[in-house]
Amino acid sequence: RQGGREESLKHNMLLAFDSLVAKLDALYIDYKASSPAGFEDRINYWHDKCGMDVGLMKRMHKLRIWANAARHQDRDRWLRNGPHSQEDAS
């Protein structure tokens, strides 16, 4: 069932993103007061001000885009911006 796999993948992208953001918020707790609220800006801030590795920053932005596509329940957006397979999402 394609729909079930797709919904599962969306759910996993949301969980992965939210979990990783929570872990990074905890890691960079000393910078919380000055970090931006928006995820795109916060990821860039973590890289610029907190020393986040560029590879992690790039992966976080990809995961952010996928999570946004899943969160907004827009199938066209998901098909355009989301991972194309479970392997892409891994």
Side-chain angles (χ1 to χ4, degrees):
R1 249 183 70 201
Q2 180 62 29
R5 285 192 296 261
E6 186 176 299
E7 290 307 311
S8 177
L9 189 54
K10 288 178 182 179
H11 178 73
N12 289 342
M13 292 303 97
L14 290 169
L15 285 177
F17 182 74
D18 291 345
S19 175
L20 195 48
V21 166
K23 288 177 182 179
L24 290 167
D25 274 338
L27 179 64
Y28 300 129
I29 191 73
D30 292 342
Y31 299 90
K32 188 164 178 73
S34 58
S35 66
F39 291 126
E40 182 174 12
D41 291 336
R42 192 178 331 170
I43 293 166
N44 291 334
Y45 178 86
W46 286 335
H47 170 68
D48 294 340
K49 304 292 185 196
C50 305
M52 176 192 280
D53 176 76
V54 69
L56 178 57
M57 179 191 71
K58 289 178 180 181
R59 289 189 302 276
M60 282 295 298
H61 277 303
K62 182 180 277 192
L63 186 56
R64 175 186 58 79
I65 290 166
W66 291 351
N68 281 340
R71 185 173 284 115
H72 294 289
Q73 299 296 314
D74 180 340
R75 189 153 195 278
D76 289 336
R77 183 177 181 183
W78 173 257
L79 292 174
R80 186 176 59 252
N81 296 333
H84 297 289
S85 68
Q86 185 68 38
E87 292 75 31
D88 285 344
S90 298

